[in-house]
């Protein structure tokens, strides 16, 4: 078989295959009135979508800018404390679940006011109460209460304390400038000066009174200064020494003490005219 015959056979096969394919396509059912619908968003819907996306982006940028501005104006930082400032005052309120006011703290130009049932100041280390106040009492839990004012501490009513002590190398002074100072204790009042003097001064009279016991003075020397001296009669005075150095301590019937120049015997009777002046 020559070459031309081989080519004719190949063309015959290709023509047959084309015929079969054309016949199969003609036998397939064709859809009548077929319509094609486009897929996607077109027209005004697409423009609205782009507008809303752009509006959302602008809103996010404005919110971010406002947040940064608020943080900058209010000085909100990670390392700095919170600072609240006002031209008049700053008020912090606390309310319960019913909306009723239970506590209030007001910081003003003239005063700091706290309105609550109980006010407490606690130590930062162990949390113990340093100061507490309520309607019944005020408690100071610090180890030492120090008053540095020049006028000291002023109390309108009674003060109860087991111990009053001055600072080291400082004097302790209890004073009532216009009224009396009263210290009372059912089992006794003890005032001692271990390394110094004890002085009691007054303008008018100093009373030492014991209703059931006695007044006991225990010392090596007892000195009574500025006692009045009684005068003797002319006859007794001429017989006494002009340079009198020894006197006799005498007592008037009303308890007044006076001195009388000492003699051979008692001279209190001779100089008792001083009792008439008392």
């Amino acid at each position: 078989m020559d070459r031309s015959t081989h080519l004719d056979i190949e063309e015959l096969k290709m023509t047959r295959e084309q015929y079969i394919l054309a016949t199969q396509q003609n036998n397939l059912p064709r859809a009548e009135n077929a319509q094609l619908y486009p897929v996607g968003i077109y027209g005004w819907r697409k423009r609205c979508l782009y507008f809303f996306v752009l509006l959302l982006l602008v809103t996010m940028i404005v919110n971010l800018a406002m947040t940064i501005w608020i943080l900058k104006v209010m000085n909100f930082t990670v390392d700095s404390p919170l600072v609240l400032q006002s031209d008049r005052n700053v008020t912090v309120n606390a309310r319960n679940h019913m909306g009723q006011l239970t506590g209030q703290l007001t910081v003003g130009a003239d005063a700091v006011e706290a309105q609550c049932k109980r006010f407490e100041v606690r130590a930062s280390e162990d949390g113990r109460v340093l100061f507490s106040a309520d309607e019944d009492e005020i408690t100071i839990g610090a180890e030492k209460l120090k008053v540095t004012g020049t006028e000291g501490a002023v109390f309108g009513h009674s003060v109860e304390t087991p111990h009053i002590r001055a600072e080291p190398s400082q004097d302790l002074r209890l004073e009532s400038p216009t009224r009396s100072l009263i210290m009372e204790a059912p089992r006794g009042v003890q005032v001692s000066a271990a390394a110094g003097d004890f002085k009691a001064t007054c303008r008018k009279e100093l009373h030492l009174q014991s209703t059931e016991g006695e007044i006991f003075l225990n010392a090596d020397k007892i000195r009574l200064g500025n006692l009045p001296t009684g005068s003797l009669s002319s006859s007794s005075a001429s017989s006494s020494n002009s340079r009198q150095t020894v006197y006799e301590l005498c007592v008037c019937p009303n308890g007044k003490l006076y001195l009388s120049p000492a003699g051979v015997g008692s001279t209190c009777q001779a100089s008792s005219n001083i009792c008439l002046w008392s």
Side-chain angles (χ1 to χ4, degrees), residues 84-92 105-113:
L84 301 177
Q85 294 182 355
S86 175
D87 295 337
R88 295 185 179 179
N89 55 39
V90 176
T91 302
V92 179
L105 178 64
T106 303
V107 180
D110 299 330
V112 178
E113 298 180 359

Side-chain angles (χ1 to χ4, degrees), residues 33-270:
N33 299 327
Q35 296 181 359
L36 299 177
Y37 295 96
V39 179
I41 301 175
Y42 300 95
W44 65 272
R45 295 183 179 88
K46 186 176 182 180
R47 289 191 294 270
C48 289
L49 180 61
Y50 287 162
F51 173 75
F52 285 121
V53 172
L54 181 61
L55 181 61
L56 180 60
L57 182 61
V58 172
T59 305
M60 292 176 59
I61 295 175
V62 171
N63 287 337
L64 181 60
M66 291 293 294
T67 303
I68 296 175
W69 179 75
I70 292 175
L71 294 177
K72 184 66 176 178
V73 171
M74 299 300 294
N75 293 327
F76 289 155
T77 57
V78 178
D79 300 326
S80 300
L82 176 63
V83 178
L84 301 177
Q85 294 182 355
S86 175
D87 295 337
R88 295 185 179 179
N89 55 39
V90 176
T91 302
V92 179
N93 295 330
R95 300 182 183 274
N96 55 14
H97 63 282
M98 300 179 62
Q100 298 175 351
L101 185 64
T102 58
Q104 186 180 70
L105 178 64
T106 303
V107 180
D110 299 330
V112 178
E113 298 180 359
Q115 297 181 4
C116 55
K117 293 183 178 180
R118 184 178 179 84
F119 180 77
E120 291 184 354
V121 177
R122 294 181 176 269
S124 59
E125 297 179 356
D126 52 2
R128 58 191 179 92
V129 179
L130 301 178
F131 177 85
S132 65
D134 54 19
E135 295 181 356
D136 298 329
E137 64 179 5
I138 296 177
T139 304
I140 298 177
E143 296 180 356
K144 182 186 297 184
L145 175 61
K146 187 174 183 180
V147 180
T148 59
T150 57
E151 297 296 332
V154 179
F155 300 95
H157 298 283
S158 61
V159 177
E160 297 181 5
T161 176
H163 190 193
I164 299 177
R165 182 181 62 185
E167 290 287 338
S169 303
Q170 299 293 331
D171 296 334
L172 176 63
R173 184 174 182 178
L174 302 177
E175 181 181 8
S176 177
T178 59
R179 294 294 186 270
S180 59
L181 177 63
I182 300 175
M183 292 186 295
E184 296 180 352
R187 295 187 178 181
V189 177
Q190 181 179 359
V191 181
S192 62
D197 300 334
F198 173 74
K199 296 180 180 180
T201 60
C202 62
R203 182 177 180 180
K204 293 183 179 180
E205 296 180 356
L206 176 63
H207 295 271
L208 299 177
Q209 181 181 0
S210 177
T211 57
E212 296 182 359
E214 60 182 5
I215 298 176
F216 180 68
L217 300 177
N218 183 14
D220 295 337
K221 297 179 180 180
I222 298 177
R223 300 178 60 183
L224 301 175
N226 298 327
L227 290 179
T229 303
S231 59
L232 299 176
S233 60
S234 60
S235 59
S236 300
S238 59
S239 61
S240 62
N241 190 2
S242 60
R243 298 179 60 185
Q244 185 71 35
T245 58
V246 180
Y247 292 89
E248 181 181 0
L249 181 62
C250 305
V251 183
C252 295
N254 59 359
K256 182 178 180 181
L257 300 178
Y258 66 96
L259 299 178
S260 178
V264 178
S266 176
T267 60
C268 291
Q269 188 66 28

